[in-house]
Amino acid sequence: MILTNEVNLQEIQYETLVVGLSTHLEQVEGWDAFTATFGPQITELIRSKDLSTNEKEITTFHVTTDSSVKRILFAGIGNRKKLTEDTLRQLFGRVGKTLQKKGYSDVSVLLPSFVNEEISEQDVAFLAGEGLGMGTYQILDYKTTAHDTDYDLAAVELLSQADEQEIVSYFEVGLIYSEAVNEARTLVNMPGNILTATELGEYARELGEEFGFETHILGKEEIEELGMGALLAVNQGSTEEPRLIVLKHQVTDKWEDPIALVGKGITFDTGGYSLKPKDGIVGMKGDMGGAAAVLGAMRIIGETKPNKNVIAVIASTDNMVSGNAFKPDDVITSMSGKTIEILNTDAEGRLVLADAVTYAKQQGATAIVDVATLTGGVIVALGMDKTGALTNDEALFEEFMEASMETGEFVWRLPLTESDKKRIRKSDVADLNNSPGRDGHMIFGGGFVGEFAENTPWIHLDIAGTSGTPSEHDLGPKGGTGVMVRTLASFVERLAEQE
Ligand code: BES
Ligand code: ZN
Ligand code: ZN
């Protein structure tokens, strides 16, 4: 609906109306007529502290006069000059949570016509889609007792002074982004006995069908034929088959210059013979967060169809203990031909990624981004809210950082020096070792993967800290976060724009 200044409450479609409220102006953003009518009342409520304009604070008012609008959610935006896209996204997340808690499924949202120089009305529409979609995500569970997980944000009316179609399409792309994130969250939250490598493969097959990707789900025999000794070594102790999942988004007649998105898909990580302690093992169902990020990004790519060839490669298995399992001191041969001395079977992610990266290169990848819940080291270094990165290509990484700043997903780069590489290459019996030590071991984990990227421009993302969260946040519940889904997709979008 296009808003004019003459609009009145009666013209608004839904019973629940969301409006933003900024500090200094003490008025409803973008709606002079509303301010003219309710301005004095709002001013009084703010003065009496019954209504807050504080950033991200939400106050609900019930409309008692005869009106189709029954309630107004005032969303505090603080000083609008200082408002960032990040805060706005989180604010919409909170609004979504409030709607969900109250069970309001149809909502009209008044978009501010002007926020500040940095944020356009189209941006607001996009952020509304992202924030409302992510904020209302509900965890998939297996409880048999009745509970209210059936909330659905069913209808959103956008009230705006800009071009309606444009605003709606920005909002819808925001929703697409949020849905892909939410899908990834569900994958991360699924237990290892249910989401096996085979099941992950089936999920990817359906995704491929839905969007018309060229899809290859390789089973154990094909993985053996390819000589993926590193992926097979990790799978060796399991009764579950491994999968190599390949999806191609092709936009040119010839398959040229694809970027590879490579994901770690460990469906459960016991550590193997280098067994994890009983506290450290819980939560290891989420060790396929990298795979989930890649699949989420592919969902967005399937929907928005950027003009860039993309290949997704996911190496998936669980990491188990049995009489057949691989052991410390084993020497294995990767698909690349490089031999690896196993010093720690819990450093399995880098092994499966090694073969996935080699596969991506053989498929012609001219740039590689790998994503993995790779090391506890990244949590020690950066905490739970920052993704750690390594790279061998400044320009590629700069572009990636631009994407991550736009999506609000914090990424911080660590160094990878020649002396680090020496440690990775130090072995009496093989070309590489998979665990040079615990000092700065995020770098060893990622650096190991880099040995297989070789000279191909490459970015490594360690999401061990960011892939799951122990507590509820503005954009979602505790559990899987779907981190890097949005950044990977918007990175590919940027590369497409450069073509
Ligand atoms: N999957 C773990 C990393 C991890 C830790 C993910 C915590 C999520 C939360 C990975 O396979 C692992 O076990 N890494 C080891 C590497 C070490 C053996 C060199 C680690 O971080 O301790
Ligand atoms: Zn491990
Ligand atoms: Zn792992």
Side-chain angles (χ1 to χ4, degrees):
M1 166 187 193
I2 293 291
L3 195 68
T4 65
N5 277 340
E6 285 77 50
V7 80
N8 62 53
L9 284 179
Q10 303 300 341
E11 288 172 43
I12 290 170
Q13 201 172 343
Y14 297 120
E15 291 185 358
T16 306
L17 172 66
V18 178
V19 295
L21 207 57
S22 74
T23 306
H24 299 305
L25 299 169
E26 293 189 358
Q27 68 169 23
V28 171
E29 292 302 334
W31 196 2
D32 297 344
F34 189 95
T35 308
T37 315
F38 294 101
Q41 258 174 289
I42 291 173
T43 307
E44 186 46 43
L45 287 167
I46 291 170
R47 192 167 298 135
S48 64
K49 294 201 166 39
D50 289 313
L51 181 56
S52 172
T53 60
N54 289 349
E55 215 173 83
K56 295 205 284 181
E57 238 177 86
I58 295 164
T59 320
T60 306
F61 271 90
H62 294 270
V63 178
T64 48
T65 52
D66 180 34
S67 159
S68 60
V69 174
K70 299 282 180 240
R71 63 198 72 90
I72 302 176
L73 265 65
F74 289 99
I77 62 177
N79 180 348
R80 75 169 183 196
K81 287 189 189 131
K82 290 187 183 159
L83 189 68
T84 63
E85 293 199 5
D86 243 7
T87 308
L88 201 47
R89 186 186 292 108
Q90 289 161 9
L91 174 60
F92 278 116
R94 276 200 187 188
V95 167
K97 277 167 180 274
T98 308
L99 298 172
Q100 183 181 52
K101 266 179 207 133
K102 299 267 169 73
Y104 305 146
S105 57
D106 300 336
V107 58
S108 296
V109 180
L110 175 64
L111 298 180
S113 55
F114 179 77
V115 178
N116 57 42
E117 299 299 334
E118 309 292 318
I119 304 174
S120 70
E121 190 155 10
Q122 287 78 3
D123 293 334
V124 180
F126 174 81
L127 295 168
E130 265 194 345
L132 289 172
M134 290 169 76
T136 51
Y137 172 71
Q138 277 165 320
I139 275 189
L140 168 81
D141 65 36
Y142 305 89
K143 290 177 198 271
T144 56
T145 48
H147 56 302
D148 50 9
T149 55
D150 44 10
Y151 172 83
D152 201 13
L153 184 63
V156 178
E157 177 192 35
L158 300 172
L159 307 168
S160 151
Q161 292 178 13
D163 178 71
E164 184 172 9
Q165 264 185 349
E166 204 186 8
I167 288 296
V168 168
S169 83
Y170 271 85
F171 179 78
E172 280 172 351
V173 176
L175 269 188
I176 287 169
Y177 269 65
S178 73
E179 280 160 11
V181 168
N182 293 345
E183 285 276 324
R185 289 170 169 179
T186 296
L187 290 175
V188 170
N189 292 336
M190 282 171 83
N193 63 327
I194 294 177
L195 189 73
T196 59
T198 305
E199 279 307 309
L200 192 65
E202 285 312 307
Y203 178 91
R205 192 192 303 281
E206 280 166 30
L207 186 78
E209 267 168 31
E210 186 175 348
F211 296 109
F213 297 136
E214 184 185 321
T215 305
H216 303 276
I217 313 294
L218 310 189
K220 189 169 179 178
E221 267 178 34
E222 292 155 294
I223 291 168
E224 280 167 353
E225 275 160 27
L226 285 169
M228 295 190 152
L231 172 56
L232 287 166
V234 177
N235 177 252
Q236 216 168 281
S238 180
T239 52
E240 288 288 337
E241 274 209 15
R243 288 288 183 266
L244 188 84
I245 296 166
V246 184
L247 301 172
K248 286 182 180 173
H249 166 68
Q250 184 164 354
V251 295
T252 53
D253 292 338
K254 250 182 75 201
W255 176 246
E256 56 197 14
D257 202 24
I259 181 164
L261 307 180
V262 176
K264 170 179 174 181
I266 298 293
T267 56
F268 193 81
D269 182 10
T270 67
Y273 274 97
S274 311
L275 193 62
K276 286 187 182 294
K278 61 181 177 293
D279 292 333
I281 205 166
V282 177
M284 281 303 140
K285 66 177 183 181
D287 210 15
M288 30 55 68
V294 169
L295 290 172
M298 289 306 283
R299 177 175 291 279
I300 298 173
I301 288 165
E303 294 268 12
T304 60
K305 303 201 181 347
N307 183 32
K308 172 82 193 163
N309 289 332
V310 183
I311 179 170
V313 184
I314 290 163
S316 185
T317 174
D318 46 6
N319 182 23
M320 304 296 284
V321 207
S322 88
N324 299 323
F326 78 136
K327 312 172 292 298
D329 286 351
D330 282 0
V331 175
I332 63 172
T333 304
S334 65
M335 183 186 184
S336 70
K338 289 190 169 84
T339 55
I340 304 160
E341 178 184 11
I342 303 301
L343 295 178
N344 191 324
T345 60
D346 198 11
E348 85 297 340
R350 64 199 74 181
L351 298 174
V352 306
L353 287 170
D355 282 346
V357 163
T358 301
Y359 183 90
K361 281 183 58 141
Q362 290 194 358
Q363 293 295 313
T366 50
I368 298 170
V369 184
D370 80 81
V371 203
T373 48
L374 206 67
T375 67
V378 77
I379 304 174
V380 176
L382 300 175
M384 295 285 287
D385 56 349
K386 294 164 213 82
T387 293
L390 300 177
T391 188
N392 64 5
D393 191 289
E394 303 294 327
L396 190 74
F397 188 69
E398 209 171 289
E399 196 64 39
F400 184 85
M401 283 305 285
E402 293 286 330
S404 83
M405 284 186 268
E406 203 174 283
T407 57
E409 297 191 309
F410 203 109
V411 176
W412 196 255
R413 177 181 173 184
L414 282 86
L416 173 61
T417 65
E418 287 310 311
S419 81
D420 296 324
K421 292 178 192 169
K422 260 193 201 145
R423 300 268 302 273
I424 296 166
R425 293 171 189 157
K426 189 172 178 304
S427 168
D428 294 337
V429 292
D431 300 327
L432 305 168
N433 81 81
N434 83 328
S435 184
R438 292 205 71 85
D439 48 327
H441 74 267
M442 178 275 183
I443 292 169
F444 295 138
F448 184 94
V449 181
E451 292 293 315
F452 296 83
E454 299 174 311
N455 293 326
T456 305
W458 157 78
I459 297 170
H460 165 69
L461 301 170
D462 194 334
I463 58 169
T466 48
S467 182
T469 171
S471 47
E472 189 184 354
H473 53 107
D474 289 338
L475 291 169
K478 69 176 179 185
T481 58
V483 74
M484 290 300 122
V485 166
R486 293 181 298 118
T487 301
L488 287 175
S490 84
F491 178 50
V492 169
E493 183 62 47
R494 280 172 172 273
L495 296 179
E497 280 163 14
Q498 287 175 0
E499 298 266 298

